[in-house]
Amino acid sequence: MSNENYYDVTAWNIGNAHQDIGEVINSIIDDIKTRQTQTDINEGGKPGAVIYIPPGDYHLTTQVVIDISYLKIVGSGHGFTSSSIRFNTPQNEWADWHELWPGGSRILVDLTPHVGDEEHSAAAFYVKRDGNPRISSVEFADFCIDGLHFIGASDPENSYVNGKTGIYIASAQDSFRITGMGMVYLEHGAVIYNADALSIHDNFLAECGNCIELRGAGQASKITDNLIGAGYNGYSIYAENFGGLLVTANNVFPRGSSSVHFSGVIRSSITSNRFHSFYPGMLVLENNCSENMISSNHFFREREPWGPMQKYDNGLDDLYGLLYISGNNNSIVANHISETIEAQYIKPSGARPVVIRLVSGSGNYLSDNHIVATTEAANAQQIAKQSCFDTQVRALLTVDTLMPLDVTMVQVEKESLHNTILDSGSDAQVIVDKTVNAFRATPTPGM
Amino acid sequence: MSNENYYDVTAWNIGNAHQDIGEVINSIIDDIKTRQTQTDINEGGKPGAVIYIPPGDYHLTTQVVIDISYLKIVGSGHGFTSSSIRFNTPQNEWADWHELWPGGSRILVDLTPHVGDEEHSAAAFYVKRDGNPRISSVEFADFCIDGLHFIGASDPENSYVNGKTGIYIASAQDSFRITGMGMVYLEHGAVIYNADALSIHDNFLAECGNCIELRGAGQASKITDNLIGAGYNGYSIYAENFGGLLVTANNVFPRGSSSVHFSGVIRSSITSNRFHSFYPGMLVLENNCSENMISSNHFFREREPWGPMQKYDNGLDDLYGLLYISGNNNSIVANHISETIEAQYIKPSGARPVVIRLVSGSGNYLSDNHIVATTEAANAQQIAKQSCFDTQVRALLTVDTLMPLDVTMVQVEKESLHNTILDSGSDAQVIVDKTVNAFRATPTPGM
Amino acid sequence: MSNENYYDVTAWNIGNAHQDIGEVINSIIDDIKTRQTQTDINEGGKPGAVIYIPPGDYHLTTQVVIDISYLKIVGSGHGFTSSSIRFNTPQNEWADWHELWPGGSRILVDLTPHVGDEEHSAAAFYVKRDGNPRISSVEFADFCIDGLHFIGASDPENSYVNGKTGIYIASAQDSFRITGMGMVYLEHGAVIYNADALSIHDNFLAECGNCIELRGAGQASKITDNLIGAGYNGYSIYAENFGGLLVTANNVFPRGSSSVHFSGVIRSSITSNRFHSFYPGMLVLENNCSENMISSNHFFREREPWGPMQKYDNGLDDLYGLLYISGNNNSIVANHISETIEAQYIKPSGARPVVIRLVSGSGNYLSDNHIVATTEAANAQQIAKQSCFDTQVRALLTVDTLMPLDVTMVQVEKESLHNTILDSGSDAQVIVDKTVNAFRATPTPGM
């Protein structure tokens, strides 16, 4: 009797994990399949295996292809550090740095996508299996997937483009887990089609073009307790055609074109999250998103404070809505929404920014949302802003100097009907046709 | 010096873990007790141990009995797959399946309960210790407990009956943890008496008759971030005589006679969960449940869509209440509740379904609950429904065809007094004696 | 090729981990630094390492000093047991106890702070590194740090004073993780300066003078899903000058001078927690805390029920406010707040306790808070109260005998202006100047 289903990538006899961990893991998967061939020996037969990745640098030049259930790939360190800060530091300062790259149990994705390749061709981990049952209970835990460089034509390391994906799950699957992972400098972190009972929990997914993309369709899953922040041109959390998705307890920081973007998602929840963004469109519900619950979240939007990124945004203007809602019977209740921006940076110039915008659909219910809009004193921008961390210090220095900013707290377009808007803004702050929507103004304090 | 407190079940010299992991673990516990005998050597003495279960199939024919603190039993894979889908697939198709059974670090519970046995006799893990202090910090993590078969007299594999329990904790205990576990096809997943500071976190407990049962009494515990779904005749989450229980961030899917059932529970929280059910009585607060907080949850009830299960339900009719509340001073605030059902399936026939029902007690506070009730177009039921996953696809196909359904959004029985009902339904949708309850109707949009 | 970056403290060739794990870990860190010297070999170079602590008792007489990124220190058991209950049990009963001390992978902190030492001198783990980049991705997981004894001059083991700290992070840092840890009988659990993207998740931090202290400044972090309870004179959760902190899904039990104390914190969230306290000042927002979100929490305050601790409290009286709010534009929405206390224990005598108190600032938004205030029947106090667990049993026995207690549900001081108070108390229960604040009384049920 031995631990026949426990593998250490550094102890495997085929390939060299440091040179190509992809070859090693694929070889291990072959070994598992060679050994586990029968489907019903004494009510068992194919328990899968665990593959351990100790801390270390592991280049990946061969894509890992997973087509067996019950495979757990686990490391001992999510290994995040900010590559973005480093790439925006003059290179002549690097010699003094303690370390330059992410670490932990770290996979360096050396795949090179070519024009015309399928999107998944440069995924470090590619999961695909046809037939029955759906592939189940594959787990990724506690290691780092590093895409190394972005390579866009202009300002490459800030482009969030390199064609690389961390984990690409192409087949319908059940009960997968992604936990404790770090992902950095990938164009796509996790792309997952047709998820059922998926758990994405307690990960650190940042400085990726996109972090989490749930595509195709899906149900009964959770994205919980993660630290997440995508690039200015990508999704932090995206889901389409999903039912019963629970997005809770996440701290989603900038940039991210959006914090959460739902398309055709129904009966799902976005609760108790903290969202921070530099652009409008923090939350987008489009393509008939219906019966969703948005509650107890904190939304905060300010202007990009960091020099190297100030030239970028997500292309949306301040009339788009910080929260853009298209669909029926959604609930937006008991959220705090803060926006602070100087008048000169509002787009289009002179516009009154829109905070919650009901674009189309009917029967949405907004209640008890507290919206705080302010403008910074002009000289606040003079404070040095060298890193993400300074965002906070700057905010603390300036919060006392904030002046009220006039915004439209809720705007109900004429294509959106029969909504109920309660205690989410005063008469002057809400634009709504009261003949086809119910409205109760927030009582206004005397001044 | 060696890792004397680290055990691998496959490396132990007594028994054979694959044939009877129970004998092996009990023998390891004996070894720990033999070695750790003194209670205060240099302020230490009995640190406990960790027992590792690598991925593999492990039959359990001897019950594990735990009576030492600080024992951690840990595997490398929760190993869930749907046994229910397989058992409801014609057996002649199984030959083509990639695998037939759950996997990971999987314990196959071969215990056979006999008539007249005590309930715990067929528990895979039985925790019991008398005396002081309460047994503390036992941890179960990252393995699978599989009950294999249900054996009810009729339609056995769909009966959710086999007398087997995964983890049965009979003694008052402190600071236990159940994390990352998979449980499947057990009549009872985890039965825990007299819990204090218990954490049940990030598990996958599904296709069990009952999933989590907190019995006796208890305090200051949490059930968080789990994927849970019991059988049609059992509890997904049950607690009795508890104070300070936090149920948050769970995705509780069907079936489950209820999603959460509290009896005599006080000052506890059910927040930020996603609940999905096929029957009335999703949330039951009975036996004087008081001062509890129900907030920011998403409730969704529809009719059972899957053929093999359509003959079953929990026996309650649509007048029972989707949320059934008996007790004092509870808060039900800022929840989204969706119900969709065709008129022909409403019981009793022609009834107006009740969504929130205050049955007895006083001083309950309901506010800002958004209730969406719809009926599907008749032809929506024609869509093929072969698996749980189709629930979602069907929903996405039909959400556009939903028509409003007339329901009683809140019904306050005359035995329930002095409640406050705000913004949870219009005048016509709420049945309440306004002379003894406070009521403010949700403003109604013009049509 | 070998697992060169995996260390087991019991297998290291320098020192003896059971006698001084500090010497062993420092020696391992030296080894890592000796081996990992180059900052950019083939886009890698310094992956860090994992140090494993098997279950066992490990004395620490030498402080561990961490100055490398990507170090993970991990055990196999958080090992909590209540030292407080034991120290308050007559010593002649100890002989019958199964075990006397915490266990698991347990570090016994034998450091002795001397008068005049810097605060961090008696920290078991001290993290400090100057220069760039900030130290990143150090992880502490699944072990126990035990301070052994409190040593205050009077009633020493109940004094919560011993000068010892579990983890002290002195330098600005990024993406650290503290997960699955147990801490007990430390004057300070985790002290962390200048945190960015920190995760403190699923720990058991109790019977420490203070549990979590985020000092200096910080941003974009999360304290989630922990069981926490500090001493009567300390912080359970403290943060200062922070932006974007997410405190959610925690069960914070007594004692703790406060459950959460924020100083100068902005745009942060406290949602879906369960808080239990024996004193006023459960939640303190001071020094211009602004734009924070307090939602979906359950607050419960009662009198200390346990004899040995009844002589202690946090020194605040019942006019201080259970929730004390100083700052601007905060949201306090959809919380349940229970207070139960006998009239004879109210301080100052005869006072009407204040539940939510707005002390200074402006623009705060309170809505939909359900406040339940009761007084116990006098004979309820006769029930034996031998341990924390009896708190719950007592509560269950007495909840039926509770009588309403007259309290001020919201009190708005004249230094706090332009606030909005909705549905959080009746006219008689709210003290507010309606000429400078907006107020809507909760409708009152008929009696």
Side-chain angles (χ1 to χ4, degrees), chain B residues 282-358:
Chain B
M282 294 184 68
L283 173 68
V284 177
L285 267 56
E286 64 169 8
N287 291 326
N288 203 17
C289 282
S290 295
E291 303 186 28
N292 298 293
M293 176 61 161
I294 320 294
S295 177
S296 289
N297 300 292
H298 191 289
F299 294 87
F300 171 44
R301 189 246 160 154
E302 62 179 336
R303 181 179 175 246
E304 168 73 65
W306 194 33
M309 293 293 177
Q310 284 183 328
K311 67 183 110 167
Y312 301 111
D313 63 26
N314 68 352
L316 300 174
D317 70 28
D318 292 288
L319 297 175
Y320 182 82
L322 266 190
L323 285 67
Y324 174 104
I325 310 295
S326 175
N328 306 314
N329 297 320
N330 299 290
S331 300
I332 301 169
V333 183
N335 298 285
H336 178 106
I337 309 174
S338 280
E339 172 159 13
T340 186
I341 189 166
E342 284 176 86
Q344 69 194 92
Y345 298 117
I346 293 172
K347 293 191 283 190
S349 181
R352 190 165 91 149
V354 176
V355 179
I356 303 178
R357 183 161 165 246
L358 299 187

Side-chain angles (χ1 to χ4, degrees), chain B residues 27 52 104 119 133 137 156-157 190-191 227 236 255 332 397 405 415:
Chain B
S27 166
Y52 178 56
E119 184 190 43
S137 289
E157 294 289 10
V191 173
L227 293 163
S236 284
R255 288 169 191 84
I332 301 169
L397 288 169
L405 172 69
E415 292 79 9

Side-chain angles (χ1 to χ4, degrees), chain A residues 1-3 5-6 39-40 42-50 69-70 72 129-134 136-137 139 174-175 177 194-197 199 201 218-222 224 241-244 246 248 264 266-269 271-272 288 291-293 295-296 329-331 333 363 365 367-368 418-420 422 435-438 440, chain B residues 8 10 15-18 52 54-57 59 76-82 85 96-104 106 108 110 142 148-149 180 201-202 204 225-227 249-251 253 272-274 296-298 300 334-336 338 340 368 370 372 374 388-389 391-392 395-396 399-400 402 423 440 442-447:
Chain A
M1 194 158 29
S2 69
N3 281 359
N5 296 321
Y6 180 98
T39 54
D40 191 5
N42 199 10
E43 297 178 328
K46 291 186 171 179
V50 58
S69 293
Y70 321 128
K72 180 169 189 169
R129 187 173 82 175
D130 298 323
N132 284 312
R134 292 172 293 169
S136 300
S137 289
E139 303 189 42
D174 191 14
S175 56
R177 288 166 57 97
N194 300 324
D196 191 0
S199 176
H201 175 67
Q219 70 171 2
S221 296
K222 63 186 172 82
T224 57
N241 307 323
F242 225 95
L246 175 63
T248 191
I266 63 170
R267 296 165 184 147
S268 293
S269 278
T271 57
S272 276
N288 204 16
E291 302 186 28
N292 298 293
M293 176 62 162
S295 177
S296 287
N329 297 320
N330 298 290
S331 300
V333 182
Y365 180 87
S367 181
D368 239 350
H418 313 314
N419 304 291
T420 303
L422 309 178
T435 65
V436 289
N437 296 279
R440 183 174 72 214
Chain B
D8 181 327
T10 65
N16 176 309
H18 295 296
Y52 178 56
D57 288 320
H59 289 272
S76 290
H78 74 95
F80 181 85
T81 199
S82 174
I85 291 175
D96 295 331
W97 280 36
H98 296 288
E99 67 262 345
L100 294 181
W101 295 94
R106 171 176 174 242
L108 296 75
D110 288 333
D142 298 322
L148 300 166
H149 296 278
H201 175 68
D202 197 21
F204 197 107
D225 221 318
N226 299 284
L227 293 163
N250 299 287
N251 196 327
F253 40 75
S272 277
N273 300 284
R274 180 260 172 172
S296 289
N297 300 292
H298 191 289
F300 171 44
N335 298 285
H336 178 106
S338 280
T340 186
D368 238 349
H370 182 210
V372 178
T374 53
C388 294
F389 193 72
T391 301
Q392 169 54 16
L396 292 163
V399 73
D400 286 345
L402 299 176
D423 302 332
R440 183 173 72 214
T442 310
T444 308
M447 300 305 278

Side-chain angles (χ1 to χ4, degrees), chain A residues 161-213:
Chain A
V161 172
N162 63 12
K164 298 180 185 178
T165 298
I167 298 171
Y168 194 107
I169 305 176
S171 307
Q173 90 287 157
D174 191 14
S175 56
F176 273 37
R177 288 166 57 97
I178 297 176
T179 309
M181 296 291 295
M183 300 197 199
V184 56
Y185 263 59
L186 298 158
E187 184 169 336
H188 302 274
V191 172
I192 304 175
Y193 282 84
N194 300 324
D196 191 0
L198 168 71
S199 176
I200 299 181
H201 175 67
D202 198 22
N203 300 284
F204 197 108
L205 312 176
E207 300 185 358
C208 290
N210 304 266
C211 292
I212 299 172
E213 295 161 87

Side-chain angles (χ1 to χ4, degrees), chain B residues 213-226:
Chain B
E213 294 161 87
L214 305 187
R215 300 185 188 165
Q219 70 171 3
S221 296
K222 61 187 173 82
I223 298 173
T224 58
D225 221 318
N226 299 284

Side-chain angles (χ1 to χ4, degrees), chain B residues 266-284:
Chain B
I266 63 170
R267 296 164 184 148
S268 294
S269 279
I270 302 172
T271 57
S272 277
N273 300 284
R274 180 260 172 172
F275 299 124
H276 182 193
S277 168
F278 297 144
Y279 326 120
M282 294 184 68
L283 173 68
V284 177

Side-chain angles (χ1 to χ4, degrees), chain A residues 293-360:
Chain A
M293 176 62 162
I294 320 294
S295 177
S296 287
N297 301 291
H298 192 289
F299 294 87
F300 171 44
R301 189 247 159 154
E302 62 177 339
R303 183 180 174 245
E304 169 74 64
W306 195 34
M309 292 294 177
Q310 284 183 328
K311 67 183 109 167
Y312 302 110
D313 63 25
N314 68 352
L316 299 175
D317 69 28
D318 292 290
L319 297 175
Y320 182 82
L322 266 190
L323 285 67
Y324 174 104
I325 310 295
S326 174
N328 306 315
N329 297 320
N330 298 290
S331 300
I332 300 170
V333 182
N335 299 285
H336 179 105
I337 309 175
S338 280
E339 171 159 14
T340 186
I341 190 165
E342 284 176 86
Q344 69 194 93
Y345 297 116
I346 293 172
K347 292 190 283 190
S349 181
R352 191 166 90 149
V354 176
V355 179
I356 304 178
R357 183 162 164 245
L358 300 187
V359 178
S360 63

